[in-house]
Amino acid sequence: MRIEVLTEFPVGPERAAEWDALVARAALSEPFVTRGWMQAAAEFDREAQPLIICGYVAEDGGERLVAIAPFAQRRIRSFGRSRTALEMLGSCWGDYNDVIAEPGYHAEFISRVAEQIAAIIPDDCVHACLENIPEDSPTLGALMDRACAQGLTVELQQCDVGMALQIAGTDPAALDGLLKKERLVRKMKTLARTARLEFRVVRAAAEMRDCLRRLSRWHTARYLLNGQPSIFDAEAPGNLCRLLDLTVAAMPGEACLPALFLDDEPVAVTLAFEHRGALLTWVTSFDVGIMGTSPGEMLVLETARYCRREGLRKLDFGRGSESYKSRFTNSERRIYRLIIHRGSAAVTVSSALARARAWAKRQPELWDAAVRLRGLWQLLRLEAQRTGLSRAAIDLLAEQGRALLFGNTVPDSGDQTEALPELHPRRLVEVVLKYRRDLPSWEFRKAYELLRQGQQCRLVIEDDRLRQIVPNRPA
């Protein structure tokens, strides 16, 4: 087997055809190994230097590509020093990653990859990390064995789980029971009596761009209401909005947007990939102004019905164990992180940290406190972007004290408010994003809770700035 190491992402129709043909022969079911996804990730992530290991065998007087290990090198800070880390290309965002190889050449190629890693990890390289490898991948065991044979130290960590609805091979009666969801269906019928409710899969380019823009706005508003930064916040540096656009453009025919519409307006959207007879949902969001109807779960149910109706073998929800997934899935698999070090000292430190984290998770009170502290830190950072760190700290402490004394109530303005503009639930996302620099995120959260309870809220606006959100006080 001849090994070629590319330090730039391969471009051109011939390279693209080679990669796509290899993915088909390797029979990998993950869309994150396709050339389209890798191309989008490489174009988006300019800070990482591609390092793609390719394996070729002789065939009919020429060569055939039989394996690819798509790596990238990145500069990171480690113990105060700037050093190199080797990682899988696009692994920051891909739910499942793997080496791509024809089954008959997998073992030989993994051995050659281990040799390349041993040569790539000099003193300046802190480690090689293969993130988000599924437990059923043959790469895990093979690379661990071959790396150890090269004198490298290997560490294996479970980092997540992947949950899916297996349709093919599942008893139809069991699927009927899993997707019955009577309470959710009643909500859908109630909503359909107020407006026309429709599910469809968006594939037209212009409509996909509009839906992605809405998805980013909904995601940003939802996270702001929870006092957290959104990775799809168009105003935040390093946001992933461009990655969404690049992915859709690079994966025609595979990228699609299952969406729920209310009177022809999208209210819930998921970016998904249809690949090898399965649908994988990657990013989902919905309009938080659709109160009390669970539009996100409605979309999940309709997407599952669509997959079953179209004869797809699986609906994969990707990485993560969010509670809603367990209500729609019948299988899960563990996802691993494989870290390869030059020496054992780094493994000792890393393993100690992993054990400490696992121990903390088994202490409910300690873990809950850590989660709350992390939430407060995120809220402080978010507010600091608006007012500066000192002012944000003072305001947050004052809000926490007020919440302890009076609960999450909105102060009454004491005056009649009917003349003030009303905060309609369907305008909540628009108002949050327009006035996010005027009020702290917890004020929008309190207004959201009032709207959920069926109360009316009014906006106090002066000089085109939002000064306060108050409960409605009629004459």
Side-chain angles (χ1 to χ4, degrees), residues 218-233 236 371-372 374-383 385 432-433 436 440-442 445:
W218 295 335
H219 195 278
T220 302
R222 282 175 53 217
Y223 273 64
L224 283 171
L225 287 172
N226 288 297
Q228 298 177 13
S230 165
I231 57 176
F232 299 108
D233 184 353
V371 170
R372 285 195 298 272
R374 182 173 182 269
L376 286 173
W377 172 243
Q378 288 181 327
L379 184 57
L380 177 62
R381 291 180 61 190
L382 188 68
E383 182 63 9
Q385 296 173 8
V432 169
L433 296 181
R436 57 190 293 187
S441 62
W442 54 78
R445 179 71 191 190

Side-chain angles (χ1 to χ4, degrees), residues 295-333:
E297 291 205 18
M298 289 182 186
L299 177 60
V300 172
L301 177 60
E302 289 296 334
T303 303
R305 289 172 169 176
Y306 163 81
C307 291
R308 190 179 183 188
R309 188 169 60 247
E310 295 297 314
L312 299 179
R313 59 182 176 83
K314 178 173 70 170
L315 171 59
D316 195 326
F317 290 89
R319 283 188 300 121
S321 55
E322 292 87 346
S323 59
Y324 79 89
K325 293 181 181 179
S326 63
R327 296 192 284 274
F328 292 91
T329 56
N330 55 10
S331 68
E332 70 175 50
R333 55 179 174 170

Side-chain angles (χ1 to χ4, degrees), residues 40-183:
E43 187 173 345
F44 175 77
D45 188 7
R46 295 296 188 180
E47 295 182 0
Q49 173 66 48
L51 195 146
I52 300 172
I53 305 171
C54 302
Y56 292 87
V57 296
E59 181 182 74
D60 298 331
E63 288 185 319
R64 184 176 87 248
L65 178 67
V66 296
I68 299 174
F71 285 104
Q73 295 184 96
R74 186 187 303 278
R75 300 299 293 181
I76 65 170
R77 299 293 297 179
S78 176
F79 298 104
R81 294 173 57 192
S82 176
R83 305 180 72 180
T84 300
L86 189 67
E87 60 186 38
M88 300 206 79
L89 181 63
S91 62
C92 302
W93 313 290
D95 281 354
Y96 307 118
N97 303 297
D98 209 342
V99 168
I100 312 161
E102 293 182 20
Y105 294 98
H106 185 273
E108 180 182 357
F109 181 66
I110 289 297
S111 180
R112 303 297 296 276
V113 168
E115 293 173 3
Q116 292 292 323
I117 291 175
I120 290 168
I121 307 185
D123 291 340
D124 181 56
C125 189
V126 62
H127 62 238
C129 181
L130 285 76
E131 190 90 16
N132 302 331
I133 307 294
E135 65 175 319
D136 51 358
S137 168
T139 299
L140 281 176
L143 188 54
M144 289 178 68
D145 291 342
R146 300 317 305 164
C148 290
Q150 291 291 325
L152 301 172
T153 307
V154 177
E155 180 184 6
L156 186 65
Q157 302 173 354
Q158 182 181 342
C159 56
D160 220 324
V161 296
M163 307 182 73
L165 172 64
Q166 298 288 347
I167 300 173
T170 301
D171 179 56
L175 285 175
D176 290 340
L178 187 60
L179 300 179
K180 195 173 183 179
K181 302 292 183 284
E182 293 180 349
R183 184 177 178 184

Side-chain angles (χ1 to χ4, degrees), residues 189-204:
K189 290 179 178 178
T190 301
L191 187 59
R193 284 196 289 268
T194 65
R196 185 163 62 87
L197 188 64
E198 177 190 11
F199 168 83
R200 55 189 170 89
V201 179
V202 176
R203 299 183 188 274

Side-chain angles (χ1 to χ4, degrees), residues 344-358:
S344 59
V347 174
T348 302
V349 174
S350 180
S351 298
L353 292 174
R355 286 195 300 270
R357 181 180 176 84

